[in-house]
């Protein structure tokens, strides 16, 4: 896999937002909320799709057309053509980080990887490392954009031997997965419309107004630091090496895991219904405990990202920003492996249920007094037996047809790839199928993909 050749950058440019009536004449400043600021210390959201070569143009990719529809999408998401700025609050030694909607542009990169084929990326469950080269703004933390006046959004179009990889990197201090995929869906729809299709503007307009936090937390929030580096703390630049695999679960298999989990818990009087996703993550949790060879008395935790748009009143569905937080389920490895799928799924179910509106608003209100930041390498170093899941099977990945065919696969970049990270996606087959991209230490990953109990639930469809 190492000899796939290089990814060559052919061109880079800043794409400015297409002028629209949505954008105010005067540059505005968007003040970040605690949910935004908490994520300013993690790497960018990096997701991309693998598409076939355009058949009608003899495989020629209309890069100018893609740059033009990218400008159109940024016209709607105009703050993402801005820059993060840092102001020193005059009254104290504190910093205010804001998103200035200056329209300076998002980066657009055109690249070639002529030796890489679609099959190189998809044939094996183990993801080849070359995929990481398809993503821009690599290895940067969100806060680095403020330090270096870098863009908060970038796209890279990489032409492969028989396909095209379209990747987007978005600053996690300014957006979460919901916003990320709203942007991606908007871009692909504008591109498709350019190809003579009428399905334009079905995406709701993004809402940037952050006034819903006003009742419990005033913005801008002065951070009690003298300089930006203090926000990050010690930079953990070198993650321990991980290997990643991409595995599919058919709708029938997910249904079976859900039915099994609920059946196992039905006599326990817990009264809660375990969801498909909770059942799938419990199946993974059991397998990861086995793959890591944890002793029965070792504590293990599963951290799950939960969305606030449906849990906290007043947040618009198309709110563009961060509206996510984490909940944690804990147990001993012996109980996770020994008490059955239903038990592990029920622990996840309870953790998610604990995230209610009142506690979420309390945390939002108290954060400015004692700011804390997400740092994945530190989390993993503190408890190496943790597993962590972000993203959502509800994100519409496979509707991203840019005008010449639906995606054949979705993959992610190197950002936030730590031991124990499992990203969940909708399955390509739809209908309740799902996929997991799992990162583990290489020897643990080898044991995971050789684990018959775990792999018996997977399907081979890409």
């Amino acid at each position: 896999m190492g000899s796939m050749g290089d990814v060559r950058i052919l061109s880079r440019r800043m794409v400015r937002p297409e002028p629209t009536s949505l954008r105010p004449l005067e540059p505005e400043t968007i003040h970040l909320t605690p949910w935004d600021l908490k994520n300013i210390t993690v790497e960018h959201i990096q997701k991309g799709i693998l598409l076939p070569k355009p058949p009608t143009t003899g495989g020629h990719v209309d890069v100018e057309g893609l740059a033009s529809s990218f400008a159109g999408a940024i016209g709607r998401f105009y703050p993402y053509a801005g820059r993060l700025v840092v102001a020193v609050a005059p009254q104290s030694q504190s910093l205010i980080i804001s998103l200035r909607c200056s329209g300076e542009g998002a980066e657009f990169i055109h690249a070639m990887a002529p030796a890489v084929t679609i099959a190189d990326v998809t044939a094996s469950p183990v993801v080849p490392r070359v995929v990481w080269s398809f993503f821009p703004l690599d290895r940067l933390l969100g806060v680095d954009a403020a330090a270096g006046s870098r863009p908060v959004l970038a796209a890279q179009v990489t032409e492969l031997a028989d396909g095209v990889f379209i990747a987007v990197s978005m600053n996690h201090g300014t957006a979460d997965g919901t916003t990320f995929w709203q942007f991606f869906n908007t871009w692909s729809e504008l591109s498709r419309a350019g190809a003579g299709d009428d399905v334009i503007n079905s995406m709701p307009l993004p809402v940037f107004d952050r006034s819903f936090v006003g009742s419990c937390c005033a913005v801008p929030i002065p951070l009690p630091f003298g300089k930006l580096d203090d926000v990050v703390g010690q930079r953990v630049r070198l993650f321990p090496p991980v290997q990643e695999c991409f595995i599919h679960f058919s709708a029938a298999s997910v249904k079976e895991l859900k039915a099994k989990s609920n059946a196992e818990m039905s006599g326990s009087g817990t009264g809660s219904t375990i969801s498909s996703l909770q059942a799938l993550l419990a199946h993974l949790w059991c397998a990861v405990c086995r793959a890591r060879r944890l002793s029965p008395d070792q504590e293990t935790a599963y951290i799950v990202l939960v969305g606030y748009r449906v849990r906290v009143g007043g947040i618009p569905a198309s709110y563009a920003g961060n509206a996510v937080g984490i909940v944690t389920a804990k147990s001993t490895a012996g109980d996770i492996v020994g008490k059955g799928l239903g038990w592990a799924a029920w622990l996840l179910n309870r953790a998610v249920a604990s995230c209610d509106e009142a506690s979420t608003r309390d945390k939002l209100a108290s954060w400015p007094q004692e700011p804390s930041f997400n740092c994945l390498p530190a989390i993993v170093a503190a408890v190496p037996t943790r597993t962590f899941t972000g993203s959502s099977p509800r994100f519409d990945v496979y509707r991203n047809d840019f005008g010449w065919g639906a995606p054949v696969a979705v993959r992610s970049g190197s950002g936030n790839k730590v031991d124990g990270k499992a990203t969940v996606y909708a399955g390509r087959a739809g209908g309740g199928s799902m996929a997991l991209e799992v990162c583990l230490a290489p020897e643990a990953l080898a044991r995971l993909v050789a684990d018959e109990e775990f792999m018996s639930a997977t399907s081979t469809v890409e």
Side-chain angles (χ1 to χ4, degrees):
M1 286 288 187
S3 62
M4 278 181 200
D6 297 327
V7 174
R8 274 200 338 271
I9 304 284
L10 302 181
S11 67
R12 292 174 179 270
R13 64 182 104 167
M14 267 320 152
V15 174
R16 298 173 81 94
E18 204 174 77
T20 75
S21 57
L22 306 169
R23 206 171 132 206
L25 293 171
E26 289 300 310
E28 63 185 309
T29 296
I30 291 177
H31 293 302
L32 304 183
T33 71
W35 298 336
D36 294 321
L37 291 165
K38 268 183 93 68
N39 285 319
I40 206 132
T41 45
V42 299
E43 294 179 336
H44 289 60
I45 303 175
Q46 295 184 316
K47 303 279 188 289
I49 53 166
L50 184 56
L51 296 159
K53 269 271 166 85
T56 48
T57 52
H60 169 72
V61 178
D62 179 7
V63 176
E64 290 310 313
L66 287 170
S68 164
S69 50
F70 184 61
I74 307 165
R76 297 178 127 217
F77 288 79
Y78 63 87
Y80 297 111
R83 295 291 180 268
L84 286 180
V85 292
V86 184
V88 179
Q91 71 284 16
S92 61
Q93 195 189 32
S94 60
L95 305 173
I96 289 171
I97 304 175
S98 310
L99 179 58
R100 177 97 171 131
C101 305
S102 54
E104 288 168 65
E107 193 170 26
F108 183 89
I109 298 164
H110 178 208
M112 295 279 282
V116 182
T117 64
I118 287 177
D120 287 333
V121 177
T122 62
S124 160
V126 177
V127 179
R129 194 47 57 93
V130 71
V131 169
W132 289 6
S133 312
F134 301 159
F135 290 86
L137 299 178
D138 209 30
R139 295 285 175 183
L140 294 171
L141 302 182
V143 73
D144 291 335
S149 194
R150 290 185 175 94
V152 295
L153 171 69
Q156 182 174 320
V157 174
T158 306
E159 297 191 55
L160 313 183
D162 57 351
V164 186
F165 196 92
I166 297 185
V168 171
S169 296
M170 198 179 257
N171 192 307
H172 215 326
T174 63
D176 61 13
T178 300
T179 300
F180 178 94
W181 286 110
Q182 277 176 342
F183 175 81
F184 217 119
N185 294 157
T186 301
W187 180 18
S188 65
E189 194 167 288
L190 290 168
S191 176
R192 212 164 51 238
D197 195 333
D198 293 333
V199 291
I200 195 60
N201 296 348
S202 73
M203 294 297 297
L205 282 173
V207 176
F208 302 106
D209 177 23
R210 278 152 166 75
S211 59
F212 64 84
V213 299
S215 56
C216 52
C217 164
V219 295
I221 298 167
L223 301 172
F225 300 101
K227 53 185 193 299
L228 272 181
D229 266 2
D230 301 338
V231 177
V232 180
Q234 193 186 351
R235 275 178 189 265
V236 189
R237 271 303 187 206
L238 292 170
F239 292 4
V242 292
Q243 249 191 333
E244 54 186 311
C245 67
F246 201 97
I247 33 193
H248 306 268
F249 299 84
S250 69
S253 168
V254 171
K255 215 175 192 169
E256 207 173 293
L257 290 170
K258 179 181 176 176
K260 183 173 190 259
S261 300
N262 280 301
E264 284 179 18
M265 296 312 287
S266 64
S268 63
T270 55
S272 48
T273 305
I274 288 158
S275 72
S276 301
L277 179 58
Q278 289 158 4
L280 179 61
L281 298 186
H283 179 63
L284 175 68
W285 196 3
C286 299
V288 167
C289 288
R290 292 193 296 268
R292 284 174 164 166
R293 297 189 165 158
L294 301 183
S295 61
D297 58 345
Q298 256 180 297
E299 187 178 77
T300 171
Y302 205 127
I303 299 169
V304 186
L305 217 57
V306 290
Y308 294 147
R309 284 172 185 80
V310 291
R311 290 181 172 85
V312 177
I315 308 181
S318 60
Y319 167 64
N322 281 284
V324 287
I326 57 174
V327 296
T328 307
K330 290 182 179 152
S331 177
T332 60
D335 279 356
I336 293 300
V337 174
K339 284 192 171 180
L341 184 70
W343 162 257
W346 179 73
L347 290 177
L348 290 165
N349 176 283
R350 292 296 78 210
V352 172
S354 72
C355 179
D356 60 13
E357 175 153 13
S359 65
T360 302
R361 284 195 176 275
D362 283 349
K363 282 184 194 148
L364 193 60
S366 62
W367 191 87
Q369 284 74 60
E370 215 173 317
S372 62
F373 301 90
N374 291 329
C375 175
L376 289 177
I379 287 173
V380 172
V383 187
T385 58
R386 283 180 180 175
T387 306
F388 177 92
T389 286
S391 205
S392 166
R394 292 194 184 93
F395 296 154
D396 201 343
V397 172
Y398 292 99
R399 81 182 270 178
N400 290 298
D401 174 342
F402 278 77
W404 65 86
V408 292
V410 57
R411 292 293 184 269
S412 62
S414 70
N416 307 309
K417 287 276 167 76
V418 291
D419 183 1
K421 170 95 181 279
T423 305
V424 62
Y425 299 97
R428 186 169 170 230
S433 60
M434 292 187 201
L436 288 172
E437 186 176 60
V438 183
C439 297
L440 287 170
E443 59 283 5
L445 190 83
R447 288 193 285 266
L448 182 82
V449 295
D451 181 334
E452 281 177 22
E453 189 179 336
F454 177 69
M455 294 302 284
S456 64
T458 65
S459 67
T460 51
V461 207
E462 173 56 69

